[in-house]
Amino acid sequence: MFYLFFLLFIALSAGLFSTVFKTGSFKTWARIFRVFVVVIATAVFAYYFTTKSLTKFRQDSLTVQMINKLPFPLDFYIIKVNGEKDAADIYETGHVGSIRSNFYRIEYLDMSNSDEFWIAGFMGRKNMVYFSQHSVPNKNEDQIIEIQNYINQSQKLSEIAEKQIEVLKFENMKTAIWITLDILLLFLNVALLFKKSNKKIPKLSGI
């Protein structure tokens, strides 16, 4: 996703640069290019924000319900461990979000190539206060996990999880920066497309 928004940044910058062509056939082609870039960028952002706002339910996925029974809200991450040796990523990390006390969140995991996942909970930005390892012997049976204690079931695995979460945070931060820049450039391109030419109105001479 990061590379997509980086390419959008280049395209939108080129669309903005094309405004220097103000005469001749170059002006027409520059405007067509800018319209094309704006349409593509708008479609990408519409798809991105729509998919982010919709539920993550996937057919034949494992439903994992996490209930926070602790007195304080925690920020949860879930790490799926892929069992295939040829998998591009051994660990797939996802941000569940902050869960308040006595509230729950539901995640949907594709466990076709995996039979294990981990859950990590943070109090604050870097203070991991909860880590648990979960095997999935029956992939057709949904799981309900109640977080009732501050535990760390495996120091070694929790260190791996923490590194994977830091990688995810860094990637999300980079993506957020490029999204912000892209939205700014998209706004500028749209504003230039709809900008009306300021024609000077001749003054009427007095009688």
Side-chain angles (χ1 to χ4, degrees):
M1 191 62 69
F2 159 74
Y3 296 104
L4 174 61
F5 290 114
F6 178 71
L7 291 174
L8 272 182
F9 174 81
I10 295 175
L12 288 166
S13 298
L16 203 60
F17 177 75
S18 66
T19 57
V20 299
F21 301 106
K22 297 181 179 180
T23 58
S25 60
F26 286 110
K27 178 181 178 181
T28 303
W29 284 110
R31 184 176 179 84
I32 293 172
F33 173 74
R34 195 157 64 250
V35 169
F36 175 76
V37 169
V38 166
V39 169
I40 294 297
T42 304
V44 169
F45 279 116
Y47 174 79
Y48 178 78
F49 289 119
T50 301
T51 53
K52 284 292 183 180
S53 61
L54 294 177
T55 178
K56 298 179 182 178
F57 174 76
R58 288 175 288 186
Q59 193 174 4
D60 300 326
S61 60
L62 176 72
T63 301
V64 180
Q65 183 180 13
M66 287 166 283
I67 307 172
N68 183 13
K69 293 288 186 177
L70 295 169
F72 301 103
L74 297 182
D75 194 22
F76 286 95
Y77 291 82
I78 192 163
I79 301 101
K80 186 179 71 172
V81 183
N82 287 318
E84 291 186 352
K85 295 182 179 179
D86 298 332
D89 296 316
I90 300 177
Y91 306 106
E92 292 185 24
T93 310
H95 185 207
V96 179
S98 179
I99 306 179
R100 291 180 291 170
S101 179
N102 294 320
F103 280 78
Y104 69 91
R105 287 282 183 94
I106 295 177
E107 284 291 307
Y108 302 96
L109 302 179
D110 180 8
M111 303 297 291
S112 56
N113 299 323
S114 175
D115 56 6
E116 180 183 347
F117 66 90
W118 308 335
I119 294 177
F122 287 78
M123 183 179 291
R125 184 172 177 81
K126 294 187 176 182
N127 186 20
M128 184 188 291
V129 296
Y130 177 88
F131 178 83
S132 58
Q133 180 184 13
H134 303 271
S135 60
V136 185
N138 185 1
K139 298 180 181 180
N140 296 319
E141 183 179 349
D142 297 334
Q143 297 204 13
I144 300 176
I145 301 170
E146 294 186 353
I147 294 91
Q148 299 182 358
N149 300 300
Y150 298 106
I151 60 172
N152 188 340
Q153 291 184 350
S154 172
Q155 185 65 34
K156 181 179 179 180
L157 296 181
S158 66
E159 290 176 357
I160 296 174
E162 196 162 7
K163 290 179 181 178
Q164 295 300 316
I165 291 168
E166 285 300 319
V167 170
L168 177 66
K169 288 180 179 179
F170 181 68
E171 291 297 322
N172 288 343
M173 182 182 67
K174 287 197 303 181
T175 303
I177 292 172
W178 287 112
I179 286 176
T180 303
L181 293 174
D182 288 345
I183 291 176
L184 176 61
L185 288 176
L186 178 60
F187 173 78
L188 292 175
N189 276 280
V190 171
L192 288 173
L193 280 174
F194 290 97
K195 181 181 179 182
K196 296 181 179 180
S197 58
N198 296 322
K199 294 182 179 179
K200 293 184 178 179
I201 302 174
K203 294 182 180 180
L204 296 176
S205 58
I207 297 175

